[in-house]
Amino acid sequence: MSAVIDPTAALDLLKFDSNGLVAAIAQQHDSGEVLMMAWMNRDAVIETLATGQVCYWSRSRSRLWRKGESSGQRQRLVDFRIDCDGDTVLLCVDQEGVACHTGRRHCFYTAVRPEGLVEIAPVLVSPDQLYGA
């Protein structure tokens, strides 16, 4: 997505929760791999559509979180989609490096299997490398 997009129509369609947030799922645009889930507020939606770089709302830090600002693992927006209820967005992205703060490609690395919990994705980059020790 190279052009700046007017966010007005998207903001009118989105149904933010009582905290002013909407769920956002990031998916690798070309493989369909689900990378992560996070939250966006109005400002994060506006910034994402204006810049083409994905921005979320960090509930733990209570501030905007520009994906990759400290790790360098950025997400470039390819397509912004809104679900039928308007309460979830699908961000089709081009993920630079890993998406998970644990150093894995995606955040969904624990599978529940008959034998118990199984880690199905390896750590590709140590968190110390990503964020500095």
Side-chain angles (χ1 to χ4, degrees):
M1 183 169 281
S2 57
V4 174
I5 296 174
D6 179 358
T8 306
L11 291 170
D12 287 346
L13 189 58
L14 288 172
K15 294 177 185 163
F16 294 94
D17 69 12
S18 60
N19 295 311
L21 302 174
V22 65
I25 300 180
Q27 179 181 44
Q28 179 64 33
H29 75 98
D30 52 359
S31 69
E33 177 185 27
V34 176
L35 300 170
M36 58 179 279
M37 182 274 176
W39 298 94
M40 297 178 96
N41 66 3
R42 293 178 68 82
D43 291 339
V45 170
I46 291 167
E47 182 172 320
T48 297
L49 292 173
T51 67
Q53 294 295 316
V54 178
C55 178
Y56 298 104
W57 175 256
S58 172
R59 295 181 304 166
S60 62
R61 298 179 205 124
S62 295
R63 68 173 179 85
L64 290 175
W65 159 41
R66 291 150 186 97
K67 181 68 176 153
E69 66 189 345
S70 57
S71 68
Q73 311 297 297
R74 291 178 172 73
Q75 291 177 346
R76 182 182 61 80
L77 185 66
V78 175
D79 203 12
F80 188 102
R81 301 177 186 177
I82 301 171
D83 82 331
C84 58
D85 296 320
D87 62 1
T88 306
V89 297
L90 176 63
L91 306 171
C92 299
V93 303
D94 189 15
Q95 174 67 50
E96 194 176 305
V98 299
C100 185
H101 73 280
T102 65
R104 292 172 174 86
R105 173 71 180 162
H106 56 81
C107 296
F108 300 97
Y109 59 86
T110 303
V112 180
R113 303 278 166 79
E115 65 273 18
L117 300 177
V118 179
E119 285 191 12
I120 58 171
V123 172
L124 301 175
V125 182
S126 79
D128 288 345
Q129 251 183 302
L130 285 174
Y131 304 104

